[in-house]
Amino acid sequence: MNGKTEKYLKLAADILTLLPIAVCVAAICAAPEQIGGHWNAAGELDRLGSKWELVIWPLMVLFVRGIMAVLTVAVPDNSGVNRRVMRWATVCVLALFDAMAVYFTYCAVTRAETLSIYSLDVWQLTSIVLGAVFIPVGNLMPKLRMNALAGYRTRWSMSNERAWSLAQRHAGRAMVVSGAAMLLIGLLADGLKGICLSVCVLALALIIADRRAKNEYNKTEPPE
């Protein structure tokens, strides 16, 4: 990654960190004293709250940015590859939280009685945004060097460098495929069943990826 790309990544992370703050300020100025405070699993409004509760989302995004910054610095990496991947991952994770922040801020200000009145309910949005995040993260995973903080980490994948490399490659492909599937599921399946199906697709993809990685490893490195 050259300096220009790193500069753009930092700028993107800064914008994604500041966006919920700007949305929150605008929403507080425009919102009534009471807003939608909570929706149950069925997407139905079950509590009103103060408009000052809107600050929770920007604070959450700031917290996530801080956690990702700590992980980026803490991840063991002599070559700098892991930290470059973590910077990309930071942008993806912030994009996820920003989408949720904007969605729920709008729902809160409009005091939506049910989230089903929108073309996308919260579960659909979650599936779509997670799918959109998994695709770039999956593409980045094969570049990760062995570490204890980031990547597809199991007892087997951490056993040696070759096992790690195969595990990240196959798990990365699984993330990309499941991410695309989750995007499609989010567009077609509403309600809690959609996100449950997305989780099942991800779990199945990772199980298959783990088995394929081990099979490829054993073809060239027979177990002792």
Side-chain angles (χ1 to χ4, degrees), residues 78-101:
N78 294 326
S79 63
V81 174
N82 288 352
R83 290 199 177 101
R84 290 197 288 271
V85 174
M86 289 299 296
R87 291 187 184 102
W88 278 101
T90 297
V91 171
C92 292
V93 172
L94 287 174
L96 167 64
F97 277 86
D98 274 26
M100 301 301 291

Side-chain angles (χ1 to χ4, degrees), residues 1-11 84 87:
M1 180 189 299
N2 56 38
K4 190 173 183 179
T5 302
E6 189 166 351
K7 180 180 178 181
Y8 285 145
L9 283 175
K10 184 180 183 304
L11 177 61
R84 290 197 288 271
R87 291 187 184 102

Side-chain angles (χ1 to χ4, degrees), residues 152 170 206-218:
Y152 183 69
H170 284 278
L206 289 176
I207 290 171
I208 293 173
D210 187 78
R211 180 169 298 180
R212 287 183 173 177
K214 290 178 179 177
N215 287 340
E216 185 175 343
Y217 179 86
N218 289 332

Side-chain angles (χ1 to χ4, degrees), residues 21-217:
I21 298 175
V23 170
C24 177
V25 171
I28 288 175
C29 292
E33 288 301 316
Q34 282 198 320
I35 60 170
H38 184 266
W39 290 263
N40 60 28
E44 298 169 345
L45 180 65
D46 58 12
R47 181 180 69 82
L48 294 177
S50 167
K51 66 179 181 180
W52 295 104
E53 291 182 27
L54 293 172
V55 303
I56 293 173
W57 278 107
L59 290 176
M60 190 180 299
V61 171
L62 286 171
F63 176 76
V64 170
R65 174 72 184 276
I67 291 295
M68 293 303 294
V70 170
L71 290 176
T72 300
V73 173
V75 64
D77 186 12
N78 294 326
S79 63
V81 174
N82 288 352
R83 290 199 177 101
R84 290 197 288 271
V85 174
M86 289 299 296
R87 291 187 184 102
W88 278 101
T90 297
V91 171
C92 292
V93 172
L94 287 174
L96 167 64
F97 277 86
D98 274 26
M100 301 301 291
V102 172
Y103 180 87
F104 278 108
T105 297
Y106 180 78
C107 293
V109 172
T110 58
R111 292 204 289 193
E113 293 291 333
T114 173
L115 301 181
S116 63
I117 65 173
Y118 302 116
S119 57
L120 294 175
D121 63 35
V122 63
W123 300 114
Q124 286 179 285
L125 178 68
T126 301
S127 183
I128 290 171
V129 175
L130 281 175
V133 168
F134 283 173
I135 292 173
V137 170
N139 279 313
L140 292 170
M141 284 180 64
K143 300 178 182 179
L144 283 169
R145 304 293 175 84
M146 189 185 293
N147 70 92
L149 294 176
Y152 183 69
R153 301 179 309 282
T154 66
R155 184 176 181 180
W156 174 78
S157 70
M158 298 288 290
S159 61
N160 58 61
E161 289 288 349
R162 177 164 170 74
W164 172 267
S165 177
L166 288 171
Q168 304 317 304
R169 177 153 56 86
H170 284 278
R173 289 175 181 172
M175 292 281 284
V176 172
V177 171
S178 58
M182 291 169 73
L183 281 171
L184 185 60
I185 291 169
L187 292 172
L188 299 178
D190 59 355
L192 188 57
K193 63 180 180 293
I195 193 65
C196 290
L197 181 57
S198 292
V199 171
C200 290
V201 167
L202 175 62
L204 179 61
L206 289 176
I207 290 171
I208 293 173
D210 187 78
R211 180 169 298 180
R212 287 183 173 177
K214 290 178 179 177
N215 287 340
E216 185 175 343
Y217 179 86

